[in-house]
Amino acid sequence: MGGRDHSLVAGRTGWNFRRSNNVDPDWGNDLLVMPACRNMSVLVLESATLHGSDYPVPYPTYFHPRSDADVLRWQDRVRGQRRTWLTAFVGAPRPDVPVNIRVWDHVIAQCFCARRPAPAPCWGARAPPGAPSATPRATSRLFQKTVFCRQPPGDTCTRRSAFDSMVAGCIPVYRWHLPEDHHRYSVYIPDADVRQRNVSIEAVLRAIPPATVERMREEVIRLIPRVLYADPRSRLETLKDAEDIAVEGILGTVARIRNGEYVDSGGPVTEDHPNLFSSTETRFRQKQSMQAADH
């Protein structure tokens, strides 16, 4: 099948494996642009959207349930939390990022320029004395006390924190790869508007009707099992976690290809080049060969 029935799990984003070459790279490599790898289905933390063979999976979070009952108890817990903070942001200033794309600093600035009526507007980096530190337990507790969590892009479009906040029942502000109808469970505010100071995040969030907020939170809570990874020493019975969904997706993709269907990972097997694996040399391998010759 020309590699179309192969899959790979990678612990980084799709961009890390699609460099044009491997000549003294600061990060990543060209694994997924090699001819022998082009047809594989790859599970990554963030897909390179121009390449249909990348399938994004959630970042691992702090909570790994051992049973369906663990998940249901957790959903009841976050559903019943009293949320005293309107919004939160867990992160630090990013002075190393170019000014034209620096959004974290603007998010943090809006946190501390806000007034403090109840519910309090925002907790963020550079917290006041007595605020929780960024330990797993403290971060989870913070998210459980917050209605919305600000999730601007990090080094790439997504952040692990977005999934931690959703597991805590916190509505994410910004979007990423989850169900396409993102308005049902998240609030999208364009980065450019924040950087150019054209929008008040607090004002946008306060304008959302309470009934809408409740519906969004319930949708987030419903999605919790899909973004969790169960404890590997056990297995969920009726619920599907992130691993179940990913594996079923890969098997379904392979089955469709076997049926001759066009899928995101490429066309029918009959259209594969007959010499797909005849040449897998890359500049990286050539460099190794030259180094070997030098020695």
Side-chain angles (χ1 to χ4, degrees), residues 72-90:
L72 297 175
R73 280 194 296 266
W74 182 260
Q75 287 176 304
D76 287 341
R77 173 189 173 94
V78 298
R79 184 179 288 115
Q81 287 290 320
R82 181 172 178 267
R83 299 180 183 267
T84 54
W85 295 91
L86 174 67
T87 178
F89 170 69
V90 177

Side-chain angles (χ1 to χ4, degrees), residues 83-131:
R83 299 180 183 267
T84 54
W85 295 91
L86 174 67
T87 178
F89 170 69
V90 177
R94 301 292 297 274
D96 56 322
V97 176
V99 174
N100 63 320
I101 62 171
R102 189 182 301 169
V103 66
W104 284 32
D105 289 0
H106 294 287
V107 170
I108 294 171
Q110 287 201 25
C111 277
F112 295 104
C113 289
R115 297 179 180 179
R116 299 279 174 180
C122 184
W123 183 92
R126 296 177 181 164

Side-chain angles (χ1 to χ4, degrees), residues 44-184:
V44 289
L45 293 175
E46 178 183 320
S47 65
T49 54
L50 297 178
H51 305 279
S53 59
D54 295 0
Y55 296 91
V57 297
Y59 285 74
T61 63
Y62 295 129
F63 179 40
H64 302 283
R66 295 188 177 186
S67 65
D68 288 11
D70 283 352
V71 178
L72 297 175
R73 280 194 296 266
W74 182 260
Q75 287 176 304
D76 287 341
R77 173 189 173 94
V78 298
R79 184 179 288 115
Q81 287 290 320
R82 181 172 178 267
R83 299 180 183 267
T84 54
W85 295 91
L86 174 67
T87 178
F89 170 69
V90 177
R94 301 292 297 274
D96 56 322
V97 176
V99 174
N100 63 320
I101 62 171
R102 189 182 301 169
V103 66
W104 284 32
D105 289 0
H106 294 287
V107 170
I108 294 171
Q110 287 201 25
C111 277
F112 295 104
C113 289
R115 297 179 180 179
R116 299 279 174 180
C122 184
W123 183 92
R126 296 177 181 164
S133 58
T135 63
R137 183 181 298 273
T139 299
S140 180
R141 286 178 174 174
L142 170 66
F143 288 148
Q144 291 177 58
K145 294 180 179 180
T146 307
V147 179
F148 297 97
C149 185
R150 306 181 185 193
Q151 298 293 352
D155 293 324
T156 59
C157 295
T158 62
R159 299 180 66 212
R160 177 247 173 95
S161 175
F163 296 93
D164 285 327
S165 66
M166 289 189 68
V167 169
C170 194
I171 299 170
V173 182
Y174 294 89
R175 63 175 172 176
W176 60 92
H177 41 245
L178 269 167
E180 292 183 1
D181 189 7
H182 60 89
H183 294 293
R184 294 176 57 188

Side-chain angles (χ1 to χ4, degrees), residues 213-229:
V213 172
E214 288 299 321
R215 286 196 299 270
M216 294 175 70
R217 182 182 303 119
E218 191 59 34
E219 183 66 16
V220 168
I221 294 173
R222 187 186 69 82
L223 291 171
I224 286 177
R226 300 174 60 90
V227 298
L228 287 174
Y229 293 91

Side-chain angles (χ1 to χ4, degrees), residues 195-216:
R195 291 195 305 270
Q196 296 168 12
R197 302 177 183 177
N198 293 332
V199 63
S200 165
I201 299 175
E202 181 187 356
V204 171
L205 300 180
R206 287 195 181 280
I208 301 175
T212 301
V213 172
E214 288 299 321
R215 286 196 299 270
M216 294 175 70

